[in-house]
């Protein structure tokens, strides 16, 4: 089991794999919680179906309130399921996000000239275009100064 967890943490996650982890964990929580509540609170949860329905509401934090545990052990099971589900989803979300960030960093080019602009060639091209625009603006300004009021040619 430890090797599987280590391999899981080493391998970058795809969106599909990440979703399968979340869905699997949620289903396991629902099935275990539904079965456990049926055992510990038989009066309120007479069937496994009712237990599963309650566990699904609890795991997803919907909580319609149509079925609730009334004894102390049942409420403790509910509290554990709520806390476990919320914590698990938060942890899985953090691991998945970390995996996506790591993969993006690994795919990003590194070294001289690498970056969002596209390297030295792109910088040189942009610098040339800026110099050309600056020269054009200088020519326009000279024409305006010589053709302006009181000066130069008029049509």
């Amino acid at each position: 089991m430890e090797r599987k967890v280590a391999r899981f943490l080493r391998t970058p996650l795809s969106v599909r794999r990440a979703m399968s982890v979340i869905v699997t964990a949620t289903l396991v929580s629902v099935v275990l919680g539904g079965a456990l509540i049926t055992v510990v609170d038989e009066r309120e949860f007479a069937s496994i179906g009712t237990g599963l329905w309650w566990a699904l509401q609890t795991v997803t934090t919907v909580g319609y309130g149509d079925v609730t545990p009334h004894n102390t052990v049942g409420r403790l099971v509910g509290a554990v399921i709520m806390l476990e589900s919320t914590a698990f989803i938060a942890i899985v979300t953090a691991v998945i996000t970390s995996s996506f960030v790591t993969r993006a960093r690994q795919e990003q080019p590194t070294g001289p000239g690498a970056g969002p602009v596209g390297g030295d060639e792109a910088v040189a091209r942009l610098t040339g275009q800026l110099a050309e625009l600056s020269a054009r603006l200088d020519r326009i300004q000279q024409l305006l100064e010589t053709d302006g009021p009181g000066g130069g040619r008029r049509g």
Side-chain angles (χ1 to χ4, degrees):
M1 183 67 170
E2 187 175 321
R3 285 186 297 184
K4 287 183 179 183
V5 171
R7 190 177 72 219
F8 172 78
L9 294 175
R10 273 194 319 264
T11 307
L13 289 176
S14 65
V15 173
R16 173 177 282 156
R17 189 161 168 232
M19 286 304 297
S20 70
V21 168
I22 291 171
V23 168
T24 301
T26 302
L27 286 174
V28 167
S29 295
V30 168
V31 170
L32 291 177
L36 186 59
I37 196 71
T38 303
V39 170
V40 300
D41 196 348
E42 293 174 0
R43 199 176 91 222
E44 291 299 320
F45 300 93
S47 72
I48 188 73
T50 305
L52 291 173
W53 174 244
W54 169 82
L56 181 63
Q57 292 177 51
T58 304
V59 166
T60 59
T61 69
V62 172
Y64 289 122
D66 57 341
V67 182
T68 58
H70 291 288
N71 68 32
T72 302
V73 176
R75 289 182 180 186
L76 286 173
V77 169
V80 168
I81 289 174
M82 286 184 268
L83 293 173
E84 179 274 329
S85 299
T86 305
F88 182 79
I89 295 299
I91 290 167
V92 169
T93 302
V95 168
I96 291 167
T97 302
S98 174
S99 176
F100 289 154
V101 169
T102 300
R103 185 170 65 183
R105 283 186 183 153
Q106 290 171 350
E107 292 174 358
Q108 184 175 3
T110 59
V117 176
D120 293 334
E121 282 182 32
V123 171
R125 190 172 59 247
L126 288 173
T127 302
Q129 289 173 343
L130 285 173
E132 183 183 322
L133 285 172
S134 181
R136 284 182 181 180
L137 287 172
D138 287 343
R139 286 193 301 269
I140 292 171
Q141 185 175 358
Q142 286 174 352
L143 286 172
L144 288 174
E145 288 174 356
T146 58
D147 290 344
R153 12 174 240 240
R154 289 245 166 199

